[in-house]
Structures are given as structure tokens and as C-alpha cells.
Amino acid sequence: MKTLTELYHEGGEAKHFAEDFAHRLHTGDWAQAKDHWTLAVEHVSNTVAELDTLPPRAAARRAEELARTLCLSLAQADRCWACALALR
């Protein structure tokens, strides 16, 4: 799994995602953003059945893609997936 910092250093859309996730959704708290990114990827890895049929590297990449989609869709409503869970 790529960390949020690795995504940032990757540049392009990955960097934009990392910045937005940390700054807009977590008011610049990179530690919290990193934890919540990890939780989102772990959640996807543990719940998406299609990942079980993929080789490990492909499954990890796909889990990251799906987690990013999950996080981006909730970001449209200014919400973080993990922050929303904490409020329940």
C-alpha cells in the first residue's frame, strides 16, 4: 500500500489527492490524514471480494484505487470516510 506521503511525492493527481485529503478534510493534520488513508485502504482490502481473485500486487493497487474513489466521493461533501465512522 502506498502511504499518503508516497502519493504526495508521486506528483500529479496523486499529489493533489494527498494535499486535498490532508489540508481540506483534516485541516492540515497530516498524521490524522495518514491514519485515515490507511484505514480506508484496509477497509477496502478487507471487504471487496474481487480483490481475493487478484495477485497480491494487483490487489494492493486496486484497493488503493478503490479507496481513493471512496475518499474522493465523500470529499465532494467535505467528509472523510474514517472521520464519519468516528462520529457514529
Side-chain angles (χ1 to χ4, degrees), residues 1-16:
M1 175 188 102
K2 288 184 184 175
T3 66
L4 200 60
T5 303
E6 289 171 327
L7 290 173
Y8 177 83
H9 290 294
E10 189 175 303
E13 285 188 37
K15 180 179 180 176
H16 178 70

Side-chain angles (χ1 to χ4, degrees), residues 10-58:
E10 189 175 303
E13 285 188 37
K15 180 179 180 176
H16 178 70
F17 168 77
E19 287 177 326
D20 200 40
F21 194 71
H23 291 289
R24 188 163 62 89
L25 296 180
H26 296 94
T27 60
D29 186 342
W30 275 87
Q32 184 181 45
K34 288 178 189 180
D35 287 345
H36 289 186
W37 168 247
T38 300
L39 288 171
V41 176
E42 287 174 355
H43 171 74
V44 168
S45 294
N46 292 330
T47 58
V48 176
E50 95 176 49
L51 299 176
D52 295 337
T53 64
L54 300 174
R57 275 198 157 144

